[in-house]
Amino acid sequence: MLNLERLRTLDALARHGSVSGAADGLHVTTSAVSQQMAKLEREVGQQLLAKNGRGVRLTDAGRLLADHAARILSQVELAQSDIEAQRGEVVGEVRMGAFPTAVRGLFPGALSALRKAHPDLRVRSREVEPDRAVREVFRGDLDLAVVLDWSNKRLPVPGGLAQVQLLDDIPDVAMHTDHPLAGRAEVDLEEFADDDWVSWPEGEFCYEWLMFTLRSKGVEPKIAHIAEEHHTQLALIAAGLGVCVAPRLGRGHVPQGVALVPVRQRMRRHVYAVWRADADRRPSIRAVVEALREAASEVERSAA
């Protein structure tokens, strides 16, 4: 009889490509991963891992068993979903991820409502960028994620994931109040061709969107400052160090000295939740989605 937890370890190794990656994904030590794999090899009587430089790789037998493990674990998740659905109780654990402004703008209200309505449900949450969050939901490292894309740059979502729209987030351009365009009712992004930009870190989805959007308008952006958090970006703007795109979700307090002007070509950040389709019937997933939708509706009512 194959041990389910050892199959889960093998599946994590196949998905992450390394012992350390599997350990991180499973929230265990690397030695625990190695021990589970050694026991699994004894159970099947075949070598499943081979040395590959400083790391390891799956043997042919390892890849074959990993394919079966992925299907077995998917069926186990379906069975768990059906049992939860049949019981109709919102219990267990849900692992959630979201980009930082969604964590700040949606999670406090949603998670507080879930704690009150479903005290037996345990929710764990963390910040994670949209493209990585989609991969982690697909792999099973997260149960649900709140992600985003832009009206002119979509985020690829693989098959096998369900999704629901939460809200459209409208960004503005933030500039110092002394900027020549600060008093305008609307602006175009190309009007800032000569300005320094404060941007998200290179490699993040919103950074790639900014580069793509400005270059599509014939502007080669001058990135002067990089900051992860929008509050940090706005502090740099308040000091007169450039301009930035400032989404409204989770924006919070705007420092003195910062002017916010809407963009004439209406840009939108589409914010939505994604989860594995084979977990769709889990009452806990449905409860989390409903709490996120209500939190998003409250954000939209507050902005109206």
Side-chain angles (χ1 to χ4, degrees), residues 170-174 187 244-248 251 259-263 266-267:
I170 303 172
D172 302 308
V173 177
V187 291
C244 74
V245 173
R248 298 178 185 180
R251 180 186 289 168
L260 298 164
V261 182
V263 179
R266 288 295 183 183
M267 300 182 298

Side-chain angles (χ1 to χ4, degrees), residues 50-270:
K51 289 190 177 297
N52 184 30
R54 293 187 174 182
V56 296
R57 62 172 177 82
L58 293 179
T59 63
D60 289 344
R63 286 194 295 271
L64 176 64
L65 187 56
D67 289 341
H68 284 290
R71 290 192 291 271
I72 290 168
L73 293 170
S74 179
Q75 285 300 120
V76 168
E77 185 157 1
L78 278 171
Q80 290 173 333
S81 296
D82 285 345
I83 289 296
E84 284 188 29
Q86 196 274 338
R87 190 171 55 197
E89 297 177 357
V90 181
V91 296
E93 179 180 271
V94 174
R95 300 160 299 168
M96 298 172 58
F99 56 97
T101 50
V103 172
R104 187 162 59 245
L106 295 177
F107 277 19
L111 300 188
S112 176
L114 283 168
R115 173 174 287 185
K116 292 177 183 177
H118 307 290
D120 293 327
L121 177 66
R122 187 160 73 99
V123 179
R124 290 194 294 155
S125 70
R126 58 186 170 89
E127 292 185 357
V128 57
E129 282 299 302
D131 47 357
R132 180 179 174 185
V134 167
R135 292 195 300 271
E136 293 196 14
V137 172
F138 185 76
R139 293 194 308 243
D141 298 331
L142 287 173
D143 296 305
L144 180 145
V146 177
V147 299
L148 67 89
D149 58 25
W150 295 80
S151 49
N152 64 333
K153 187 174 178 61
R154 307 312 299 263
L155 177 70
V157 176
L161 297 188
Q163 58 181 282
V164 65
Q165 175 83 10
L166 296 176
L167 58 87
D168 280 347
D169 188 25
I170 303 172
D172 302 308
V173 177
M175 65 201 80
H176 194 272
T177 49
D178 291 338
H179 194 283
L181 302 180
R184 292 266 295 274
E186 293 180 321
V187 291
D188 294 314
L189 286 183
E190 54 265 37
E191 294 183 84
F192 300 93
D194 296 327
D195 284 273
D196 288 338
W197 281 88
V198 179
S199 172
W200 300 272
E202 186 173 355
E204 290 190 4
F205 186 77
C206 286
Y207 172 91
E208 300 299 334
W209 166 81
L210 182 63
M211 299 298 102
F212 170 81
T213 301
L214 290 173
R215 286 168 179 165
S216 71
K217 298 177 179 297
V219 175
E220 183 59 36
K222 298 186 295 182
I223 306 298
H225 306 286
I226 297 290
E228 182 83 33
E229 288 290 331
H230 286 144
H231 289 170
T232 306
Q233 294 179 6
L234 292 177
L236 294 170
I237 303 304
L241 298 175
V243 300
C244 74
V245 173
R248 298 178 185 180
L249 177 63
R251 180 186 289 168
H253 173 71
V254 177
Q256 186 175 0
V258 174
L260 298 164
V261 182
V263 179
R264 182 173 291 109
Q265 306 101 334
R266 288 295 183 183
M267 300 182 298
R268 295 288 188 275
R269 294 202 312 176
H270 307 298

